[in-house]
Amino acid sequence: MPVTVFMRWTTTGIKIKNEGFPGGGGKRRATELVKREFGLGASGVMGWVGGVLSYRHSFHAGNFADVLKHIVLVELLAYQGRKDKGFTYIDTHAGAGRFDLNSEHATKLDEWRQGVGRLSREDWPELDRYFAVLDAVNPQGGLSVYPGSPAIAQQLLREQDRGVLFELHPRDFELLDESLEGDGRFVTRKSDGFSGLISALPPPSRRAVVLMDPPYEVKVDYETVVETLIAA
């Protein structure tokens, strides 16, 4: 039975519509077909060569979700560092590394003002490690740069620790690579983080912290996160 899969470019990536799969689940099956035919990784059609990767975290850096995620990450990395033996930090969707809160992107939504902008040391002394990271990426004082997860790891990983960072967005990958230039603890890979995680496990150290936080532009990412976690 012929199967027709329509793909069109939009500002949010490739939109897929299926008109030919019988028995339900057409859009998901169409997506899987496109991934298979074009040799895509598990992150879905957004990884299509030449495709549109629209999500830029620079619009959202430092928002309430970042604050929660990064406070937890800081504590996890600090906990792993309590043992002398090294560990590996793996970030499946690393982003640009760090973000200028005065940039055109950040000021368009100013989400950071309702996130990290509302925190103070006086009110939250128990978050001293998190504030120490903020200080480290803002040596001139104040808060003009927000650290993404790679910059947080860069502050907390020791000489014996290693980082493996995945990012598909071409420009964000360039920024990520630049932000870590010369830091031999880190390896950056412009490839699918879901499949990359599987290939990176188990790490040589046999100890790891994994951060898996895709942008969920492709709805199948919700399922892929669970599938990848199970496979890992």
Side-chain angles (χ1 to χ4, degrees):
M1 180 178 182
V3 172
T4 302
V5 177
F6 297 95
M7 297 188 298
R8 63 184 177 89
W9 299 102
T10 74
T11 57
T12 57
I14 303 171
K15 296 293 185 182
I16 290 183
K17 181 181 180 182
N18 157 65
E19 297 291 348
F21 281 108
K27 187 171 182 179
R28 175 179 171 81
R29 295 167 68 188
T31 300
E32 293 300 323
L33 172 65
V34 173
K35 286 161 60 178
R36 184 172 66 251
E37 290 300 314
F38 289 95
L40 304 182
S43 62
V45 295
M46 300 300 287
W48 190 20
V49 175
V52 176
L53 290 160
S54 68
Y55 181 82
R56 304 296 302 279
H57 193 65
S58 47
F59 287 97
H60 313 287
N63 65 11
F64 73 94
D66 261 2
V67 170
L68 175 59
K69 174 176 66 177
H70 290 151
I71 287 171
V72 173
L73 178 62
V74 165
E75 295 303 315
L76 286 173
L77 294 175
Y79 179 80
Q80 286 289 77
R82 290 167 62 181
K83 288 187 177 181
D84 290 337
K85 184 178 180 180
F87 67 92
T88 302
Y89 170 67
I90 305 172
D91 196 332
T92 62
H93 298 77
R98 59 185 64 205
F99 305 94
D100 180 359
L101 296 180
N102 296 313
S103 69
E104 182 181 355
H105 286 191
T107 56
K108 184 170 184 176
L109 300 175
D110 270 342
E111 290 188 12
W112 69 273
R113 296 188 185 278
Q114 296 301 313
V116 66
R118 299 186 65 178
L119 297 182
S120 69
R121 270 192 172 86
E122 292 73 21
D123 294 333
W124 299 96
E126 57 268 59
L127 300 182
D128 183 62
R129 288 194 188 98
Y130 176 70
F131 285 114
V133 173
L134 296 180
D135 289 344
V137 298
N138 291 278
Q140 305 304 318
L143 183 63
S144 59
V145 174
Y146 187 79
S149 48
I152 291 172
Q154 194 172 25
Q155 294 299 319
L156 294 175
L157 263 60
R158 304 159 301 171
E159 185 62 33
Q160 65 267 41
D161 303 323
R162 294 293 179 265
V164 182
L165 313 177
F166 298 90
E167 177 54 46
L168 272 174
H169 193 287
R171 180 54 182 154
D172 280 353
F173 179 80
E174 289 177 5
L175 294 171
L176 174 66
D177 218 27
E178 291 171 7
S179 72
L180 296 167
E181 187 176 5
D183 194 331
R185 297 172 299 171
F186 291 88
V187 174
T188 57
R189 296 176 180 169
K190 188 180 178 183
S191 57
D192 172 51
F194 289 126
S195 57
L197 171 61
I198 302 303
S199 66
L201 294 176
S205 64
R206 293 298 194 270
R207 303 178 67 228
V209 172
V210 176
L211 177 60
M212 184 164 48
D213 184 26
Y216 299 102
E217 285 187 297
V218 184
K219 289 184 178 180
V220 295
D221 276 356
Y222 290 96
E223 298 176 31
T224 306
V225 164
V226 177
E227 293 167 357
T228 304
L229 183 61
I230 293 171

